[in-house]
């Protein structure tokens, strides 16, 4: 049975904030500028008690996640790397990664990411992955929806809001007009 758990753990490669939240718990009205977190997403970090939060900014800022079960009473710090795209504009982004540790498997958490100098993301929620072999995850896998004809996206969003998936795996090809 542990082999099956390992396979599921490998499949839990990409969690998206949209899967775990449906929509932000609290949407901010802050202006968007270079240090503001964008493209926030979650990924499995190798253990049911860990989660990786990743986002990008246009300016270099601190990499911080505030999180908790009943409020933002925990803080985790991470790292930031520079990404320069290969397109004509050679845009620069800063990719931030922060690992949350000590999570209780199956417990719901709230979080936001960013920094004091760059601003904070909206407030999101996620549920830490369950532990053990007595559960079977429900998931969706998708890829290459296309830029203009993403017919399944509305269904995927609605199912996510209803809590039908433990995770969603995106298999690639989601960059257009770079």
């Amino acid at each position: 049975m542990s082999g099956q758990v390992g396979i599921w753990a490998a499949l839990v490669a990409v969690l998206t904030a949209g899967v775990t939240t449906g929509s932000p718990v609290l949407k901010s009205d802050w202006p968007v500028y270079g240090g503001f977190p964008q493209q926030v997403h979650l990924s499995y970090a190798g253990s049911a008690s860990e989660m990786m939060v990743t986002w990008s900014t246009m300016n270099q800022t601190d990499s911080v996640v505030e999180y908790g079960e009943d409020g933002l009473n925990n803080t985790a710090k991470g790292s930031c790397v520079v990404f320069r795209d290969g397109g004509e504009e050679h845009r620069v982004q800063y990719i931030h990664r922060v690992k949350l540790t000590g999570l209780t498997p199956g417990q719901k958490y709230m979080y936001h990411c960013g920094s004091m100098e760059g601003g904070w993301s909206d407030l999101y929620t996620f549920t830490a992955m369950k532990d053990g072999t007595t559960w079977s995850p429900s998931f969706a896998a998708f890829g290459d929806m296309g830029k203009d004809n993403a017919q399944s996206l509305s269904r995927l969003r609605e199912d996510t809001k209803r809590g039908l998936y433990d995770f969603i795996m995106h298999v690639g090809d989601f960059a257009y007009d770079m």
Side-chain angles (χ1 to χ4, degrees):
M1 191 62 137
S2 65
Q4 287 180 328
V5 172
I7 291 169
W8 284 117
L11 286 175
V12 185
V14 176
L15 292 166
T16 63
V19 172
T20 58
T21 64
S23 61
V25 175
L26 177 64
K27 188 127 174 97
S28 70
D29 291 325
W30 297 330
V32 175
Y33 62 100
F36 193 80
Q38 301 173 46
Q39 303 175 36
V40 178
H41 62 279
L42 302 173
S43 57
Y44 177 66
S47 165
S49 64
E50 299 176 337
M51 187 69 73
M52 185 69 72
V53 183
T54 305
W55 70 95
S56 69
T57 59
M58 302 311 281
N59 295 342
Q60 187 169 8
T61 62
D62 289 336
S63 303
V64 180
V65 175
E66 295 178 334
Y67 67 101
E69 296 176 33
D70 296 314
L72 302 176
N73 45 19
N74 300 304
T75 301
K77 295 183 179 182
S79 62
C80 170
V81 296
V82 177
F83 171 79
R84 185 177 315 273
D85 79 33
E88 292 178 14
E89 296 180 29
H90 301 288
R91 288 176 271 205
V92 173
Q93 291 184 54
Y94 296 87
I95 310 300
H96 303 263
R97 291 174 54 93
V98 175
K99 184 187 282 188
L100 308 183
T101 60
L103 303 174
T104 302
Q107 180 64 44
K108 187 174 182 175
Y109 290 87
M110 63 178 65
Y111 75 100
H112 68 181
C113 60
S115 65
M116 291 300 291
E117 76 266 4
W120 296 98
S121 70
D122 294 326
L123 186 63
Y124 296 103
T125 65
F126 71 90
T127 301
M129 191 169 110
K130 295 175 185 168
D131 202 8
T133 59
T134 60
W135 71 285
S136 181
S138 172
F139 72 97
F142 74 98
D144 194 11
M145 285 191 167
K147 185 173 112 178
D148 300 316
N149 194 20
Q151 293 181 16
S152 58
L153 186 57
S154 61
R155 170 82 184 264
L156 190 58
R157 255 191 216 131
E158 289 305 312
D159 288 352
T160 298
K161 286 179 184 178
R162 293 181 20 222
L164 296 183
Y165 307 119
D166 293 309
F167 69 94
I168 293 179
M169 181 171 40
H170 192 289
V171 296
D173 198 6
F174 55 90
Y176 300 96
D177 295 332
M178 290 189 71

